Amino acid sequence: MPSTLRSSRDRPFLPKIKKSFTYHSTTNRGLTGMKSKGKMQGKALFYWSILLPALIVMLWLTLYPMITVFLTSFQNYNYISGRRSWIGLGNYKNILADQVFLTSFKNTIVYCFSTTFLEVLLGTVLALVFYGNFRGKSVFTILLILPMMLSTMVVSSVWKTLFHYDIGLLNTILSRIGLVRVGWLIDPHIALWSIVLVDVWQWTPFAFIVMQAGLLSIPQEVFEASVVDGASYQQRLLRITLPILKDQILLLCLLRTIDTFKVFAKVFALTGGGPGNATETTSLFVYREAFQYFNLGRSSAASMITLAAVVLMSIFYLRKMLNSKEA
Amino acid sequence: MASYVTTKHSPLFPIFMALILVITLFPIYWIVVTSLKTPVENILPVPTLYPHKPTLENYQKVLFGGSLRNLLNSVFVTTASTLFSLILGFLAAYALVRYRFPLKFNVVFLVWIIIVKMLPPVVLAVPLYEMFSKMKLINNLWGLVLIFQVYTLPYCIWMLYGFLKSLPLEFEKAAEIDGASRLQIVRLIVFPLVQTGIIATAIFSIIVAWDEFLFSMLFIRSPELQTLPLAIVSYIGEFETLWGQLMAISVLAIIPIIVFVRFVYREMTSAYSLGLK
């Protein structure tokens, strides 16, 4: 079904995103432009009432909890005893001096950026190599995107069997060809990278699809012109293709960073944060503090630090959106 | 199509392609193979590449051990939460596209949605848990449908916002001149026009809900209400992992997705090309 993929050319990728925050010119004037007062009020009422259900759910499920977390982060609150007392910045000082939290934060950053880097790199290379038509392309693409359709738990469990120290296939192969067995999930220096490997296996297909769509949205004429002008493949890649795809690559990086920063299920299933704290991530830390040690103050403070990191990361994204609104 | 990539004609191209396919598909093959092996064959010191004595024993155990229930739970929660999000998200997105709310509310709302999308869900877990236990929604599949809105609703609003934004205004104007009410316009004009967008959004929402683990783990207590990811983890968690049964459940979790991809592949690729994840 290569035609499906090519149809993305009709819907260029970036202009859509950039338009996100512009309004239709008529937005403020109503559909007909008639402005009787009763009609305006009826219109406001209509739009408020269709927005309201989603608004209530969002306020109730996200804003209210966020405020609670914010307030709790300044309290010493134990869920079991039910005692609460205000301790100001105590939790934050406590957390920021906690080696486990610092390790988990470092791990999350390392995991987040290395998976994103590898996935975007591999995805781009694959998209470049498999550009254009060849026999069996649509079947190939469907097979290639299977990993990202599987649920994380399925992916984690099969890799857990493959990674198994004694009976796993990877170690069997290694010892067969005369190398030493690797403690994929039990060696503190390697465990985090094993999880990175699993994520790269699962999500490179996503990067591949997005980059492929981006490549297909470049008009052929651009390449034809460069060929006529005698540009070599390398020149075309570095001077034309990649610069055109720059925004798309950035967006892809952003999507993957957001997603990998949240990592929980994969680590939970593969290593549970171990060995020691070698694969502890911030999500896991927050979870443990809250639901195993019932230290809600500390858990909330860790949550707020995570939120700050998320907002910091998203500033780039938000600024881009807000800029294009003014433009 | 003028080819500007020469690798296709090189003899390395098919080799590279085969390599990529093997890396991608081998773990999936391994899931199927492991699920067909006997328990003894699964813990041999040197794993066998194919089942020497293929058996359906694992599937039997898993299906009679309550996994069918888990599968149904997953299907129910995924469908219900997606439908709920789509309805709410569609209405909200339409309002945000077509009406400018006072105090820059549109921008504030969309920025909040992005922040929620980026936030690790575990951050919200504690207050939500307290809220839900007060409302007796813990250990309740409807409670799970509600809690999934934390993931699916921002997602649906954001994606549908993009699709509705690209819709030309003329159809709605014409309908209004013809005397259609606002509700009729939404139902009869806008809804059919963004159908593809709605399907694409539904696909993402389904994938997210099908995969959800954290809130399911925290909010579901009894085994008969567990969703598939929970059932899978409960097999990993045991002291001696039953690899065969674990993989049999995994196959159960894969089949609906494969069927699903088979039918929605077209919409999915066009949605991905919009990059509105």
Side-chain angles (χ1 to χ4, degrees):
Chain A
M1 250 176 275
S3 59
T4 342
L5 288 174
R6 224 180 302 136
S7 75
S8 62
R9 213 184 288 162
D10 314 326
R11 295 177 151 180
F13 177 77
L14 276 161
K16 280 259 158 59
I17 301 296
K18 280 190 176 157
K19 269 198 311 198
S20 299
F21 262 83
T22 56
Y23 294 88
H24 272 286
S25 53
T26 38
T27 309
N28 253 356
R29 271 176 280 131
L31 293 173
T32 53
M34 304 235 309
K35 277 190 264 181
S36 76
K37 202 169 181 190
K39 209 163 188 181
M40 286 297 282
Q41 271 175 356
K43 189 178 145 195
L45 193 70
F46 172 76
Y47 284 114
W48 273 110
S49 58
I50 61 172
L51 179 72
L52 212 58
L55 183 64
I56 290 171
V57 172
M58 285 295 288
L59 290 179
W60 178 55
L61 286 181
T62 63
L63 191 63
Y64 170 75
M66 260 340 287
I67 294 169
T68 317
V69 169
F70 179 69
L71 294 178
T72 314
S73 72
F74 300 107
Q75 296 170 343
N76 187 358
Y77 177 23
N78 188 304
Y79 190 68
I80 297 292
S81 61
R83 268 204 304 268
R84 267 177 202 265
S85 55
W86 292 88
I87 52 164
L89 289 173
N91 286 323
Y92 289 92
K93 281 183 195 143
N94 195 323
I95 286 282
L96 289 172
D98 186 343
Q99 206 52 51
V100 179
F101 179 74
L102 295 178
T103 313
S104 73
F105 200 78
K106 195 198 80 195
N107 284 342
T108 310
I109 298 289
V110 169
Y111 174 83
C112 174
F113 286 109
S114 48
T115 47
T116 304
F117 174 75
L118 288 172
E119 283 160 22
V120 174
L121 181 73
L122 291 174
T124 310
V125 170
L126 287 181
L128 285 170
V129 172
F130 294 112
Y131 178 76
N133 285 321
F134 53 87
R135 267 170 62 104
K137 178 162 181 174
S138 67
V139 174
F140 176 77
T141 313
I142 290 186
L143 291 176
L144 211 60
I145 63 175
L146 276 179
M148 73 180 196
M149 305 299 298
L150 304 185
S151 84
T152 307
M153 280 305 156
V154 173
V155 171
S156 304
S157 48
V158 69
W159 278 96
K160 207 166 162 139
T161 65
L162 292 170
F163 279 148
H164 196 284
Y165 188 80
D166 296 314
I167 59 167
L169 187 74
L170 290 180
N171 273 350
T172 309
I173 294 173
L174 284 181
S175 61
R176 266 295 162 78
I177 58 175
L179 295 170
V180 282
R181 287 170 180 262
V182 174
W184 295 100
L185 297 174
I186 52 178
D187 183 334
H189 300 292
I190 291 173
L192 189 65
W193 297 104
S194 302
I195 304 176
V196 168
L197 176 68
V198 176
D199 200 81
V200 169
W201 179 78
Q202 192 185 1
W203 286 105
T204 300
F206 173 70
F208 166 68
I209 287 208
V210 172
M211 290 316 295
Q212 193 180 44
L215 266 181
L216 289 169
S217 69
I218 302 176
Q220 281 300 305
E221 291 75 22
V222 175
F223 297 125
E224 278 159 20
S226 69
V227 173
V228 171
D229 290 345
S232 69
Y233 176 67
Q234 208 178 355
Q235 280 174 324
R236 251 175 295 154
L237 184 66
L238 296 176
R239 302 260 173 90
I240 299 172
T241 320
L242 290 181
I244 292 179
L245 291 176
K246 198 184 75 192
D247 279 344
Q248 187 141 16
I249 292 175
L250 280 179
L251 190 77
L252 184 60
C253 287
L254 202 83
L255 290 174
R256 287 313 299 150
T257 326
I258 292 170
D259 208 37
T260 50
F261 194 78
K262 299 181 195 173
V263 62
F264 179 84
K266 216 169 257 143
V267 180
F268 186 89
L270 282 169
T271 63
N277 303 316
T279 56
E280 187 89 12
T281 63
T282 46
S283 286
L284 220 61
F285 182 86
V286 172
Y287 165 78
R288 250 188 246 289
E289 287 291 329
F291 293 95
Q292 284 183 358
Y293 311 137
F294 303 103
N295 233 323
L296 299 196
R298 269 167 65 96
S299 145
S300 304
S303 298
M304 291 316 292
I305 296 171
T306 311
L307 175 69
V310 164
V311 170
L312 213 67
M313 274 173 17
S314 64
I315 279 179
F316 163 78
Y317 194 16
L318 294 176
R319 203 170 54 190
K320 200 167 165 176
M321 278 178 12
L322 295 175
N323 276 349
S324 58
K325 185 210 159 197
E326 283 148 25
Chain B
M1 189 185 274
S3 155
Y4 81 106
V5 178
T6 45
T7 44
K8 234 180 318 181
H9 310 294
S10 100
L12 284 176
F13 183 75
I15 297 173
F16 187 70
M17 193 162 138
L19 189 72
I20 295 294
L21 279 180
V22 167
I23 293 173
T24 308
L25 296 179
F26 185 78
I28 297 171
Y29 166 77
W30 200 244
I31 295 174
V32 178
V33 168
T34 309
S35 76
L36 293 172
K37 289 181 187 172
T38 60
V40 179
E41 196 177 346
N42 266 323
I43 48 168
L44 290 180
V46 178
T48 45
L49 274 178
Y50 58 93
H52 289 287
K53 263 187 263 161
T55 166
L56 288 175
E57 180 189 336
N58 295 316
Y59 287 91
Q60 241 169 15
K61 286 216 176 99
V62 160
L63 284 175
F64 292 115
S67 287
L68 210 56
R69 192 64 211 258
N70 301 135
L71 182 71
L72 291 177
N73 289 342
S74 265
V75 169
F76 165 74
V77 175
T78 305
T79 319
S81 55
T82 298
L83 279 178
F84 194 61
S85 281
L86 278 180
I87 296 168
L88 261 55
F90 174 73
L91 293 174
Y94 184 70
L96 289 169
V97 167
R98 286 288 183 258
Y99 186 70
R100 192 182 293 219
F101 291 96
L103 299 172
K104 291 204 164 188
F105 182 74
N106 303 49
V107 180
V108 174
F109 194 71
L110 287 168
V111 167
W112 179 246
I113 278 175
I114 297 227
I115 291 178
V116 172
K117 255 179 66 175
M118 294 182 168
L119 204 64
V122 70
V123 166
L124 304 171
V126 173
L128 286 174
Y129 187 84
E130 286 183 84
M131 272 164 52
F132 274 57
S133 53
K134 267 183 214 142
M135 298 171 64
K136 305 257 182 292
L137 283 169
I138 298 287
N139 209 11
N140 178 330
L141 285 182
W142 286 104
L144 213 55
V145 170
L146 218 76
I147 201 77
F148 276 17
Q149 301 308 311
V150 172
Y151 300 88
T152 51
L153 187 58
Y155 222 85
C156 288
I157 296 179
W158 183 249
M159 276 189 76
L160 289 170
Y161 182 83
F163 286 116
L164 285 165
K165 188 101 246 179
S166 61
L167 211 65
L169 206 57
E170 283 72 29
F171 298 109
E172 290 159 65
K173 271 187 186 166
E176 196 178 350
I177 290 167
D178 288 346
S181 74
R182 281 185 206 289
L183 217 56
Q184 277 175 324
I185 294 177
V186 175
R187 201 162 48 93
L188 300 172
I189 310 288
V190 182
F191 184 75
L193 282 174
V194 282
Q195 226 160 24
T196 331
I198 290 176
I199 293 170
T201 312
I203 295 167
F204 286 111
S205 172
I206 287 169
I207 292 174
V208 170
W210 187 256
D211 198 26
E212 207 291 329
F213 171 68
L214 176 70
F215 284 148
S216 320
M217 173 177 72
L218 294 174
F219 287 43
I220 294 295
R221 293 269 167 267
S222 37
E224 72 271 13
L225 290 178
Q226 282 182 342
T227 54
L228 272 178
L230 288 178
I232 293 174
V233 168
S234 70
Y235 274 88
I236 301 180
E238 278 162 34
F239 179 65
E240 197 61 43
T241 305
L242 297 162
W243 301 109
Q245 296 184 28
L246 178 63
M247 291 304 136
I249 292 201
S250 300
V251 171
L252 281 187
I254 295 173
I255 290 169
I257 288 290
I258 303 254
V259 173
F260 181 68
V261 174
R262 172 71 190 74
F263 286 111
V264 299
Y265 172 72
R266 180 180 283 269
E267 279 82 11
M268 209 175 74
T269 43
S270 71
Y272 272 124
S273 66
L274 284 173
L276 290 161
K277 199 194 170 202

